[in-house]
């Protein structure tokens, strides 16, 4: 999904590169913030000392299923809840929150591959920083201080209303440790979609830059370094990792710009080059968005493209 804040007339969105070979990218986020560790007591399947090694030495890797065509999206399986149940999530570096279609009850949900998520009662309060991160303005109002309501609008007109809560994510680390980690999750109980945005998935895996994104939460709990990367094959499939760089021999590195102070990953102003030649179209703000199937241009770049191919 493309996230809604497409403002400034800049249409962005680069899907990770459709080259012949697998294309891998990784990026570093901000420095790790210290925070509360919410591994559930007694749930860790390892002793404390090896837990302490996570931030230094381990990563979490999820296989990715899907392709640009004909499937049109990428999904990963996450195990969430108590007991953990599997859900298929749309991988989206263009938005922040991870959420599931949710039986709260659901006033509008699409068809899902698995039974709807049943929300925990572990609500996140309205003034929590994770909630604040999902609101359109800093001075948002709280109808109920004990509950965080949010609305997310994606650029393709898809939107979701939900409540933020904590639940348990079952995570396998590459060092062999399996942990149940309590993290924020959206319970989406009212979705609006058009036929073109229709994906029969359980939810969205938000990997954007904000505090609420999965990588930020994992990092603030000290579980992994604030590094995330993905590897997508033109033949479909691939993997995504969090924490230590996984399979570094296959990575290419792109510095992530700090110009976009928002919640997107951007490689900085780009220039449109066609057939190896400069087109004069520059200063394009391009973002990486795995949730979008195609690469989109603003009208200036689009017109330039069209006149060059015709
Ligand atoms: C999501 O991925 C799983 C494999 O993990 C696959 O079986 C399923 O068909 C995918 N979902 C959709 C809707 O494509
Ligand atoms: C984690 O690992 C276990 C055993 O190694 C495996 O059965 C399970 O499917 C894995 N779970 C996830 C979420 O990848």
């Amino acid at each position: 999904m493309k996230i809604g804040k497409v403002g400034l007339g800049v249409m962005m969105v680069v899907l990770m590169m459709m080259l012949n070979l697998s294309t891998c990218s990784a990026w570093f986020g901000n420095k790790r913030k210290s925070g509360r560790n919410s591994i559930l007591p007694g749930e860790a399947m390892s002793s404390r000392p090896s837990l302490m090694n996570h931030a230094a030495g381990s990563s979490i890797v999820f296989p990715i299923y899907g392709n640009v065509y004909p499937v049109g999206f990428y999904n990963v399986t996450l195990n969430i809840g108590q007991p953990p149940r599997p859900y298929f999530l749309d991988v989206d570096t263009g938005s922040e929150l991870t959420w599931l279609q949710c039986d709260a009850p659901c006033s509008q949900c699409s068809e899902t591959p698995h039974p709807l998520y049943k929300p925990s009662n572990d609500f996140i309060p309205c003034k929590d920083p994770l909630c604040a991160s999902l609101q359109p303005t800093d001075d948002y109002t709280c109808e109920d201080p004990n509950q965080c309501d949010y609305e997310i609008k994606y650029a393709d007109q898809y939107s979701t209303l939900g409540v933020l809560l904590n639940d348990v994510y079952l995570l396998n680390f590459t060092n062999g440790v399996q942990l149940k980690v309590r993290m924020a999750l959206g319970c989406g109980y009212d979705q609006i979609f058009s036929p073109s945005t229709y994906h029969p998935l359980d939810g969205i895996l938000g990997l954007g830059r904000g505090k609420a994104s999965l990588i930020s939460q994992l990092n603030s709990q000290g579980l992994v370094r604030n590094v995330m990367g993905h590897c997508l094959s033109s033949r479909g499939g691939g993997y995504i990792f969090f924490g230590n760089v996984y399979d570094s021999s296959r990575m290419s590195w792109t510095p992530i710009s700090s110009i976009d102070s928002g919640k997107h990953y951007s490689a900085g102003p780009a220039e449109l080059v066609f057939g190896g030649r400069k087109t004069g179209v520059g200063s394009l703000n391009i973002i990486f968005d795995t949730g979008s199937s195609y690469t989109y241009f603003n009208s200036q770049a689009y017109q330039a493209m069209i006149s060059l191919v015709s």
Side-chain angles (χ1 to χ4, degrees), residues 79 170 172 178:
N79 290 279
L170 182 64
N172 285 351
Q178 186 181 62

Side-chain angles (χ1 to χ4, degrees), residues 177-190:
V177 175
Q178 186 181 62
L179 293 180
K180 291 181 175 175
V181 182
R182 177 174 170 261
M183 288 189 292
L185 170 78
C187 157
Y189 58 81
D190 193 0

Side-chain angles (χ1 to χ4, degrees), residues 27-214:
W27 48 88
F28 290 88
N30 304 322
K31 286 206 199 76
R32 173 163 108 68
K33 286 156 261 151
S34 59
R36 192 164 41 102
N37 201 316
S38 318
I39 296 162
L40 299 182
E43 298 281 19
M45 297 181 65
S46 73
S47 62
R48 197 73 194 165
S50 68
L51 279 184
M52 304 308 277
N53 290 333
H54 281 300
S58 198
S59 39
I60 304 168
V61 182
F62 294 103
I64 292 181
Y65 173 93
N67 54 42
V68 173
Y69 186 83
V71 173
F73 59 92
Y74 293 100
N75 97 62
V76 297
T77 305
L78 252 63
N79 290 279
I80 299 171
Q82 289 177 294
R85 295 182 198 283
Y87 297 98
F88 294 159
L89 293 107
D90 192 344
V91 181
D92 189 10
T93 56
S95 67
E96 178 177 356
L97 182 68
T98 297
W99 61 271
L100 293 171
Q101 301 204 66
C102 179
D103 184 10
C106 191
S107 44
Q108 224 177 166
C109 281
S110 67
E111 186 191 330
T112 50
H114 298 101
L116 290 178
Y117 167 71
K118 294 241 195 281
S120 73
N121 51 15
D122 188 357
F123 289 94
I124 293 179
C126 187
K127 284 298 175 190
D128 190 284
L130 292 184
C131 185
S133 184
L134 302 172
Q135 309 298 327
T137 59
D138 289 340
D139 59 343
Y140 62 99
T141 51
C142 294
E143 267 175 38
D144 176 351
N146 300 315
Q147 181 173 319
C148 171
D149 297 306
Y150 65 83
E151 177 173 18
I152 304 172
K153 291 183 173 156
Y154 299 90
D156 54 8
Q157 312 301 317
Y158 190 85
S159 76
T160 173
L161 274 181
V163 174
L164 194 63
L165 34 87
N166 285 306
D167 208 337
V168 171
Y169 291 62
L170 182 64
L171 300 171
N172 285 351
F173 288 77
T174 49
N175 64 2
V177 175
Q178 186 181 62
L179 293 180
K180 291 181 175 175
V181 182
R182 177 174 170 261
M183 288 189 292
L185 170 78
C187 157
Y189 58 81
D190 193 0
Q191 280 71 252
I192 298 175
F193 17 49
S194 64
S196 66
T197 61
Y198 179 78
H199 291 336
L201 289 170
D202 297 306
I204 291 181
L205 175 60
L207 299 174
R209 273 188 147 167
K211 278 200 177 75
S213 87
L214 196 66

Side-chain angles (χ1 to χ4, degrees), residues 27-33 215-216 219 224-228 243 265:
W27 48 88
F28 290 88
N30 304 322
K31 286 206 199 76
R32 173 163 108 68
K33 286 156 261 151
I215 180 66
S216 303
N219 177 249
V224 295
R225 293 170 70 203
N226 199 6
V227 176
M228 171 175 92
Y265 300 102

